[in-house]
Amino acid sequence: MTSTTPPLPSLFLSHGSPMTALEPGEAGAFWQRLGPALDAAFGRPRAILAISAHSLTREPVLLAAPRHEAVHDFGGFPSALYQLRYDTPGAPELAQQAQALLAQAGIPAHRLAQGGLDHGIWTPLRWMFPQADVPVLPLAYVPTHSPAEQFALGQALAPLAAEGVLVLGTGSITHNLRLLGRLHGTPRSGDAELPESAAFRGWMHERATARDWPALFDYRAQAPHAALMHPTDEHLLPWHAAAGAGGRQAVPLRLHASVTFGALGMDAYAFGPGAARLAAQLQAPTASAM
């Protein structure tokens, strides 16, 4: 990055079904453009700090292994999915730095020399950076902490953006698997979106654009159909962590919006002063042609 380039934005990606690793769909096509757009706008990230809905602990834990392998943490899918690999370098030195930043914010975090990327991490990264050459540092988070506490977690990590570290939250903008296939009995990727899903996604976009942080922190009480769209919090809380890494001042930007199976939202957001630069790069002819 040059001195005039803003810090990397933080990102929230709805990772969707593990099958997006084989059948990318609309969101996967977006991820394929997102990686090159990041490279063009900011240069290749020196590392990715990933906060996933599928890595949950009682206290924050940084997985500081020197190397990671894809973890196939799901069942009942075609055998071809279990043959996929996505092995990346780890980021032990970044783990020390992140642990120190969290400690400065009064957030105790453990650091373990263990590895593995859950599917919420490696599925989008497989399309963003197919060469698997960007070091990854998973941060397992506490799902019982509130949205405001997740935002504070992200705020503590915000200085990393100026050093070329991409803070990535991955979960799902809507996530109630019992709703999938409600119309036909069997989930279909092209099912029309349920009105409740559309209302919730629209509320999130509206409140984010307004930077209405009190409402976003209190989404379970204020958002339409919140408990239906998120029976539990863990798939939305990485949104708040990524938002915290971007800060309160810049307007969060929705970079992508789509839905699969009628109720599994695939929206993606960018946060922080670099978000507008990334959005512009995604709209550039060179990015759209990739």
Side-chain angles (χ1 to χ4, degrees):
M1 289 186 292
T2 68
S3 59
T4 59
T5 303
L8 274 165
S10 53
L11 297 177
F12 171 78
L13 301 179
S14 299
H15 60 72
S17 163
M19 282 299 293
T20 57
L22 289 173
E23 301 170 354
E26 290 184 59
F30 164 73
W31 298 337
Q32 288 175 293
R33 294 188 295 111
L34 179 59
L38 283 164
D39 287 348
F42 304 96
R44 179 61 57 99
R46 76 173 178 90
I48 297 168
L49 189 151
I51 304 169
S52 168
H54 293 279
S55 291
L56 309 175
T57 48
R58 288 181 290 182
E59 292 185 344
V61 176
L62 294 148
L63 299 182
R67 189 154 188 85
H68 297 291
E69 296 181 356
V71 177
H72 299 88
D73 53 338
F74 42 77
F77 290 92
S79 60
L81 187 57
Y82 301 92
Q83 307 307 313
L84 293 180
R85 298 183 63 88
Y86 190 83
D87 305 336
T88 71
E93 293 182 2
L94 175 61
Q96 292 182 326
Q97 185 180 4
Q99 186 180 38
L101 287 171
L102 291 169
Q104 290 171 15
I107 302 172
H110 303 273
R111 180 162 44 93
L112 298 179
Q114 298 178 10
L117 305 180
D118 68 59
H119 77 271
I121 299 173
W122 69 264
T123 298
L125 290 186
R126 164 178 162 78
W127 297 109
M128 291 172 63
F129 302 112
Q131 294 179 336
D133 57 349
V134 181
V136 180
L137 173 64
L139 170 56
Y141 78 97
V142 184
T144 55
H145 286 178
S146 68
E149 289 173 303
Q150 308 298 346
F151 191 91
L153 176 79
Q155 280 184 307
L157 300 169
L160 297 176
E163 301 182 25
V165 176
L166 175 65
V167 176
L168 171 66
T170 169
S172 190
I173 203 69
T174 55
H175 191 266
N176 184 342
L177 300 184
R178 292 182 180 180
L179 295 177
L180 308 189
R182 191 173 78 175
L183 299 178
H184 309 290
T186 300
R188 300 177 183 177
S189 60
D191 280 348
E193 183 176 15
L194 300 179
E196 298 91 339
S197 173
F200 183 88
R201 292 171 57 242
W203 184 91
M204 285 292 296
H205 183 219
E206 178 186 86
R207 292 300 87 210
T209 302
R211 290 180 297 169
D212 187 351
W213 302 114
L216 290 161
F217 295 161
D218 192 33
Y219 89 93
R220 291 197 78 80
Q222 298 193 34
H225 313 292
L228 181 66
M229 290 298 101
H230 288 281
T232 55
D233 280 320
E234 79 286 338
H235 271 77
L236 191 61
L237 292 176
W239 188 99
H240 296 91
R248 290 177 176 265
Q249 298 306 312
V251 174
L253 298 181
R254 186 166 66 174
L255 303 179
H256 173 78
S258 65
V259 177
T260 59
F261 307 115
L264 190 58
M266 298 299 295
D267 297 7
Y269 282 80
F271 308 92
R277 185 184 183 98
L278 176 58
Q281 183 63 44
L282 283 164
Q283 295 300 317
T286 52
S288 63
M290 291 177 181

